[in-house]
Amino acid sequence: MKRISLLIPLLAFLCYFQVAAQYQKPALTDDESWSLILMPDPQTYTRFHKNIGILNLMTGWIYENVDQLNTQFVLCTGDLVEHNDLIHLKGNDGTANSLRQWENVRNAFATLDNRVPYVLATGNHDFGYRSAEYRSTNYDHYFNVNQNGFNQRALREIGPQLNGQSSAVNALYEFHTPHGKDWLVMVLEFAPRDTVVSWAKQVLEAKPYVEKDVILLTHTYLNSKSEHIKKEGYKMIDVNYGAALFEKLVKPSKNIRLVFSGHIGAPDNFDAHLGFRRDKNAAGNTVSQMTFNAQAMGGGWHGNGGDGWLRYLEFMPDGNTVKVKTFSPLFAISPATQGLAYKTEENQEFIFTLDE
């Protein structure tokens, strides 16, 4: 009996050592590559006091790994808050009212100011009262391009106004990435208005930009079957969901090559948070479209906010190959959980090419 009691701790130690030994910190597979970080919807981190530390951990991890991953910019898929303008909380609303939610997300991304540029989409929960009842957002009060010098230098165009003032809710950025290539990032509001879609199309067809590849960042676009979303039940009028946005902007475009979005999910079902498809645009170029979210992982809609999952995309020196990794700084922080820090399923860790 004594021998068995001594053997159990030894086996536990060996298992722990094996997990720790197998874990490898995120790194580029080629020293000449560069990366972008894709952050999913952070709304459940920001609406609970107990969860905001996970979002801070994520942005802190990005800060510390900018050089290791040669990160050129960070993108976030929107729904920065759960409630845009809700002061009195009831039931399952959370523990942080709207003022605190906006402060939470602002403080988390402020970690990255003057360290790496970041572009944040607005989601349905960032408009109206609870969720897209009308086209108004508090984004302008908490984010502006002057807060991050890198954003200010990259900003090229500002889109149609919201709330009677100019803001970066709809905007175009230009990033000079390694391998001598410039990437444009066009960010558009949740289910953008017709005037916004027309503006985006006109800008991307203009002489300074038409020859440069574009990443389109918006909130709602693909469902979990990787289909363009045709319709949703929000009260907001003058909207273009995924199918309309594809037909009016992405498909006619000659230079949109990547589309990133979030929005979708189901409790503790990662597949329900994901979408990926490829289509041809008007120039015959391949457009790779990726939906990535994680907000209902880690306990559902009222859980921990998404287990800290994010993605880093490695752009290889050949200018064509992109490697996708799904990673959680939350699990990676402790040797006891590092074995859970990567998702390696074929829809979570994969390679695609910009040109077929």
Side-chain angles (χ1 to χ4, degrees):
M1 192 69 179
K2 185 176 181 181
R3 179 178 293 179
I4 294 176
S5 64
L6 291 173
L7 184 59
I8 291 174
L10 178 60
L11 289 173
F13 172 78
L14 290 174
C15 291
Y16 171 85
F17 179 79
Q18 183 179 16
V19 169
Q22 290 176 346
Y23 171 76
Q24 294 183 347
K25 292 182 178 180
L28 300 174
T29 61
D30 189 307
D31 290 340
E32 300 300 318
S33 296
W34 64 274
S35 76
L36 68 81
I37 306 295
L38 185 61
M39 295 272 286
D41 304 15
Q43 65 203 82
T44 305
Y45 298 129
T46 59
R47 71 182 176 118
F48 289 104
H49 289 80
K50 63 184 179 183
N51 291 348
I52 187 58
I54 301 176
L55 183 59
N56 290 326
L57 173 67
M58 295 166 73
T59 56
W61 177 87
I62 293 171
Y63 180 99
E64 293 183 356
N65 286 273
V66 165
D67 296 330
Q68 174 75 11
L69 294 176
N70 197 12
T71 301
Q72 300 297 302
F73 48 90
V74 177
L75 306 178
C76 180
T77 58
D79 274 354
L80 306 176
V81 296
E82 176 73 11
H83 312 107
N84 173 59
D85 195 12
L86 183 67
I87 303 303
H88 181 54
L89 304 175
K90 297 180 180 179
N92 290 323
D93 286 337
T95 60
N97 65 23
S98 291
L99 296 174
R100 180 57 63 86
Q101 290 177 42
W102 281 109
E103 289 172 354
N104 284 343
V105 71
R106 170 65 203 134
N107 291 338
F109 279 97
T111 301
L112 305 179
D113 285 349
N114 299 311
R115 175 65 168 160
V116 64
Y118 52 85
V119 181
L120 313 180
T122 47
N124 50 292
H125 286 275
D126 303 323
F127 289 92
Y129 176 57
R130 288 179 177 271
S131 180
E133 295 88 355
Y134 45 87
R135 184 77 71 175
S136 180
T137 177
N138 284 312
Y139 177 96
D140 309 303
H141 302 302
Y142 294 89
F143 291 98
N144 66 71
V145 294
N146 293 322
Q147 292 163 327
N148 186 348
F150 290 163
N151 282 26
Q152 187 180 42
R153 288 195 292 272
L155 183 66
R156 295 293 178 269
E157 304 285 345
I158 288 288
Q161 290 185 346
L162 274 172
N163 303 338
Q165 62 183 13
S166 180
S167 78
V169 169
N170 300 295
L172 181 72
Y173 298 84
E174 183 174 11
F175 298 106
H176 307 294
T177 61
H179 319 143
K181 186 178 182 64
D182 295 341
W183 275 97
L184 302 174
V185 173
M186 172 72 78
V187 59
L188 298 182
E189 64 194 23
F190 165 74
R193 294 162 287 163
D194 284 337
T195 54
V196 172
V197 177
S198 297
W199 165 80
K201 188 172 185 294
Q202 182 179 9
V203 166
L204 296 184
E205 290 175 349
K207 189 175 181 180
Y209 310 121
V210 70
E211 299 299 330
K212 297 182 179 181
D213 287 343
V214 177
I215 297 171
L216 176 64
L217 175 67
T218 192
H219 181 65
T220 178
Y221 188 75
L222 296 181
N223 63 25
S224 60
K225 295 179 180 179
S226 298
E227 302 165 334
H228 294 118
I229 295 173
K230 294 181 179 180
K231 188 177 180 180
E232 298 194 66
Y234 299 102
K235 295 180 181 179
M236 189 183 289
I237 60 173
D238 188 6
V239 293
N240 286 278
Y241 296 116
L245 193 58
F246 177 78
E247 292 296 330
K248 294 180 181 180
L249 178 63
V250 178
K251 186 177 180 180
S253 165
K254 296 180 180 179
N255 50 355
I256 294 177
R257 305 303 307 279
L258 293 168
V259 181
F260 294 127
S261 59
H263 185 56
I264 62 173
D268 294 308
N269 179 357
F270 222 146
D271 288 347
H273 291 78
L274 307 175
F276 187 83
R277 67 179 288 150
R278 289 152 71 86
D279 295 287
K280 295 290 186 179
N281 65 15
N285 294 321
T286 300
V287 185
S288 299
Q289 301 146 87
M290 178 188 299
T291 287
F292 172 68
N293 195 12
Q295 71 185 79
M297 301 303 297
W301 303 118
H302 310 292
N304 72 15
D307 277 344
W309 293 110
L310 53 76
R311 276 184 174 171
Y312 62 93
L313 282 67
E314 178 181 356
F315 288 70
M316 303 297 290
D318 65 5
N320 189 40
T321 306
V322 182
K323 295 183 177 181
V324 180
K325 290 285 187 71
T326 304
F327 174 78
S328 170
L330 175 64
F331 290 133
I333 197 171
S334 170
T337 55
Q338 285 175 342
L340 304 173
Y342 292 93
K343 284 289 185 182
T344 57
E345 295 85 351
E346 63 179 12
N347 62 349
Q348 296 277 19
E349 181 177 324
F350 57 95
I351 299 173
F352 69 91
T353 56
L354 297 172
D355 295 310
E356 288 183 324

